[in-house]
Amino acid sequence: MRLSFSSLQWAIYILATSIVAPLSIGHAFGMSQPEIAGLLQRAFFVFGATSLLQGLFGHKLPVLEGPAGLWWGVFLTYAGFVASSGNPEVVLRSLELGLLLSGVLFLVFSAFKLMDVVKKLFTPLVTGTILLLLVAKLGGSFLKGILGIGYRSSNVDPVVAVCAVATLLFAVILSRSNHLFLRSYSVLISLTFGWVLFAVVGIAKPVDVKMDAIFALPDVFAWGLPTFDLGVVLTSLFTAFLLMVNLITSINVGADAVEEDRPNYNRSGFIMGINQMLAGVFSTVGGVPLSAAAGFITTTKIKERLPFLVGSMTVLLVSLFPAVTSFFASIPMPVGYATIFLSIASLAGIALSQYRTVVGEERPRFIISFSLMAGLGTMFISEAAWDGLPKVLGSIMSNGLVVGVLVCILLEQVMKAGDRTGKLNHHS
């Protein structure tokens, strides 16, 4: 019984974390409802399959694969370019090629065991900075979702907001409960509670179950065959390098959450390469192991790997049945945001624990302050302000998470190099 509930909760969590990005990308590119439904099916298939592969052969931790915030940002950035000028189909096909090349880069780095070299760049300072900036970056989207902005109208919806906040408070109460069952299955119980509440109040959208086919494999190259665009290629390769940071950070915090030793980064990177290539082949957003899994584990106290593996397999199977996929895709977006909110917010606590080992020194405090200022400040600059720059540079500079992490890595490495030079001069 415990395995069944734990596995179901993992499946629901993977589905819930996989829904938001494809929906927002579909709307940004002006896709029709059937096209968005297909995009969701392909996302479920890729994330279910690669979560299972990582759990079995990669990092072997209960850390799910989900939409990478960096890829999400790249897709939305290019959607903005399409809105002003350009053909969405050509752009999407270019992004397919970018995902394929990103996967090749991961495979090469893993095959030549270069992931350990990348790992040296990502100290507790960098990890903590990534997590804090990630919370800040996602915070706006989550609050908008909970307030009902974009659900029934473009403004704050009081009825939706009250129901979503009630769901959030219910999730918080369950996660702090002294009862092990309630605490362990807080996400599943609160999601069910919120969905029922929305239905009772009359604000849940109807479940649009597609019965055209009982069983259906996801489409290959649904946007058309990949095309070459230098700007997209360069952006994708840079994104892949930054995702190596994300990968290492996520599996590190995941290992800490389940109290296990650090896994093999090269093995994890190889599966990550498969993830990127599958995302390109099946025309969906690229993924990455999600740091939020650590928050989920911390909240539910479910540290075993088997429920995660069963949950991943469940998501993979769900993606092959359009009716079931449509049913889960009908989860009200505000409910999804509300139930995952606590897991995302808990990443801030993990970030502070990363900082705790170094904040006693002046230099780390300077690096943290400077990096957060640069990253958070960039988040308040309109993306349109970067339109005059080349696409590659614009997509980088408009992403506060990328800017803050790059500043943090650069400052720390420059200061370390200065220390080494000073020691050499002293000895000579």
Side-chain angles (χ1 to χ4, degrees), residues 327-364:
F327 175 77
F328 281 107
S330 300
I331 297 172
M333 291 293 290
V335 173
Y337 279 118
T339 53
I340 302 173
F341 187 92
L342 185 60
S343 296
I344 298 298
S346 65
L347 294 180
I350 297 173
L352 295 177
S353 68
Q354 293 286 320
Y355 283 154
R356 190 179 301 158
T357 58
V358 293
V359 292
E361 305 172 20
E362 180 180 354
R363 179 180 296 174

Side-chain angles (χ1 to χ4, degrees), residues 396-412:
I396 294 169
M397 294 304 299
S398 63
N399 192 318
L401 175 62
V402 173
V403 171
V405 172
L406 287 179
V407 169
C408 185
I409 292 174
L410 183 62
L411 284 176
E412 189 170 25

